[in-house]
Amino acid sequence: MLRIIAIFCALIFLPCHAELLINDAVLRLLPPGVPNTSAYIELVNTGDKPEVVVSVTTDIARSVEIHNHVMDGETMHMERQEELTVAPGASVKLMPGGLHLMVFGLNQALTGGQAVRFYLTTKTGLVMPFDAIVVRP
């Protein structure tokens, strides 16, 4: 009987298994009164199909956007990315000077060590909550 229950549970929960992992999530602590900051994470695709991130949200800010630093001649600027694809079996590290999450319009003060809840949404509609730890740059 236990074996039947275990097989039943595996069949029900198997499709819910996320093939996109979120590691090392941090949120940059800036001086009080600065309304925008950035967050960094590592995305790991353990599946055999591309995973496409289409949005990230949090309750502590007005909006979150995926950005990348891009060179335009001799000038570097940030450019919003509409989505971020993680190839099968690959990882993408969002970090300073490259891909990152811009957090706009903070609606509360941050403190070092605080855990802030974010929600990542994929193109397939999967919503993945994760906590980013507030750290000093």
Side-chain angles (χ1 to χ4, degrees):
M1 181 65 170
L2 272 162
R3 187 177 192 154
I4 293 171
I5 292 171
I7 292 170
F8 177 75
C9 288
L11 290 174
I12 288 177
F13 293 112
L14 188 60
C16 297
H17 173 70
E19 294 183 344
L20 187 64
L21 304 176
I22 302 169
N23 299 323
D24 306 323
V26 295
L27 179 62
R28 191 172 182 184
L29 178 64
L30 294 177
V34 176
N36 307 324
T37 189
S38 53
Y40 310 106
I41 59 177
E42 179 185 30
L43 299 169
V44 180
N45 183 348
T46 63
D48 58 4
K49 295 178 184 165
E51 291 286 346
V52 181
V53 178
V54 294
S55 70
V56 179
T57 60
T58 181
D59 292 338
I60 64 132
R62 181 184 73 248
S63 65
V64 179
E65 297 177 0
I66 303 166
H67 278 224
N68 197 6
H69 282 94
V70 190
M71 286 300 292
D72 184 11
E74 294 185 21
T75 306
M76 182 177 282
H77 67 277
M78 286 190 299
E79 192 172 273
R80 182 177 184 185
Q81 309 294 297
E82 294 301 319
E83 57 186 35
L84 174 60
T85 301
V86 184
S91 65
V92 175
K93 196 167 203 152
L94 283 70
M95 58 188 168
L99 285 166
H100 59 283
L101 300 175
M102 280 302 302
V103 181
F104 293 106
L106 291 170
N107 57 34
Q108 68 181 58
L110 301 175
T111 58
Q114 172 186 357
V116 175
R117 178 58 52 108
F118 284 82
Y119 301 91
L120 179 146
T121 303
T122 67
K123 199 170 212 168
T124 61
L126 176 67
V127 177
M128 299 178 63
F130 68 93
D131 289 333
I133 304 303
V134 177
V135 298
R136 293 193 186 282

